[in-house]
Structures are given as structure tokens and as C-alpha cells.
Amino acid sequence: MAKGEGAESGSAAGLLPTSILQASERPVQVKEPKKKQQLSICNKLCYAVGGAPYQLTGCALGFFLQIYLLDVAKVEPLPASIILFVGRAWDAFTDPLVGFCISKSS
């Protein structure tokens, strides 16, 4: 087939009025999907500013906890990494669980 030629080019569905055609021969009308409401840039920035303090304190604690464990407490790097990993893994498990429990309670 040449470019632009499809199976519909040989049918008479486009030439006849739809009232004459049987239901199986009527061309399918494609409905445009409804557009979802999107947040404005201002709303996105306000959400980001609200989450910034939480993320900033988490990063600062993680950074300084590494320095404390390695330099002050003289913990070896492998156990220090395991300590930090276990805390993050525990959060990865409990945060969705607590969120689920809260959303299902009245």
C-alpha cells in the first residue's frame, strides 16, 4: 500500500450517509478523551516549597550522621553503612503500611 492508503479507502462508508448504512457498516466515531485538570506552575511550586524543609533535614541528618559514625564514633564503613541502610529499609516498609492503615481507618 502506498502512503496514506488504508483499508478504509476501498469502502463506501465514507460516501454514503450514515442513516443508509447498517450498524456494522457505520464508521466508528472516535471520541476525544477528556483532559484531566492539571496543576498550575504556582501550585506545583507551593507543593515543592512545603516539602523542602522535610527533605533538607533528612539530607542533613544523613550527611552528618555518616561523618559522626565514621570520624567521631570510629565505626568501620561497612557497619556504618548497614546502620544507615537498615533505617532506610525500615522506613520503606513501615511508611506505606502506616499510610494504608491511616487511609482505611475512620
Side-chain angles (χ1 to χ4, degrees), residues 38-61:
Q38 294 182 352
L39 293 175
S40 68
I41 298 295
C42 181
N43 285 347
K44 291 178 185 178
L45 288 174
C46 290
Y47 279 113
V49 168
Y54 175 73
Q55 294 298 325
L56 186 65
T57 56
C59 290
L61 286 174

Side-chain angles (χ1 to χ4, degrees), residues 8 16 25 31 36 39 46 49 64 74 77 80 90:
E8 69 277 0
L16 298 173
E25 296 176 341
K31 294 182 180 179
K36 296 181 181 178
L39 293 175
C46 290
V49 168
F64 287 113
K74 302 292 184 193
W90 182 254

